Amino acid sequence: MLLDLRDPEEYEFWRIKEAILYPAANISRDKMIPELYRFKNKPDKLIVIYMEDERKGCQAANLFAEKGYDNIFLVSGGIENFNEEFHHLVEGRDVPKPKREVIEEE
C-alpha cells in the first residue's frame, strides 16, 4: 500500500500513481482507514509512505511505529526526489518537470 501523507490540495496537484491520500494529521488522531488495519504487521504486506521531503516523512514513520506498525517504509527523499528519478510514475494536474528536463530545455 502506498500512502501520500500530504494535504489534499497537494495530492490533487500531483502524486505517485496509485497512492492513497491519507493526511499525516490522521496518524496522531488515530483516524486509521480499514486498509491500514488489513496491512498492519502482515509479513507479506508493506505500507510505503511519503511526504514532500524525508524529514517530515521520518516524523510520520515514527508516529506509525509508536502506534505499533512494524511494516512501515519511507520513500527516501520524498516525492520531490521520487519525481526526479521516476517521473513516469507520477500523475496529477500540475506535475513539476524533473530538473534535468528543465536544464536540457534551457
Side-chain angles (χ1 to χ4, degrees), residues 23-78:
N26 290 342
I27 304 166
S28 56
R29 294 181 187 143
D30 287 326
K31 290 186 175 181
M32 299 298 172
I33 56 177
E35 292 88 346
L36 277 170
Y37 289 116
R38 285 199 303 270
F39 276 66
K40 184 177 182 178
N41 301 336
K42 299 283 192 267
D44 60 335
K45 304 287 184 194
L46 302 177
I47 301 170
V48 180
I49 62 172
Y50 68 90
M51 292 188 82
E52 298 86 15
D53 60 49
E54 197 167 322
R55 181 180 46 82
K56 290 180 181 177
C58 283
Q59 293 170 349
N62 286 334
L63 278 175
F64 272 115
E66 289 172 10
K67 302 281 182 191
Y69 285 80
D70 296 333
N71 57 336
I72 293 288
F73 295 85
L74 179 64
V75 172
S76 181

Side-chain angles (χ1 to χ4, degrees), residues 4-8 20-27 29 31 51:
D4 185 322
L5 302 181
R6 301 173 303 150
D7 293 329
I20 298 169
L21 175 63
Y22 182 76
N26 290 342
I27 304 166
R29 294 181 187 143
K31 290 186 175 181
M51 292 188 82

Side-chain angles (χ1 to χ4, degrees), residues 10-17 90-96:
E10 296 168 304
Y11 177 84
E12 287 301 316
F13 282 128
W14 64 299
R15 66 201 156 274
I16 298 173
K17 290 180 182 179
V90 178
E91 65 183 6
R93 64 175 188 236
D94 196 14
V95 179

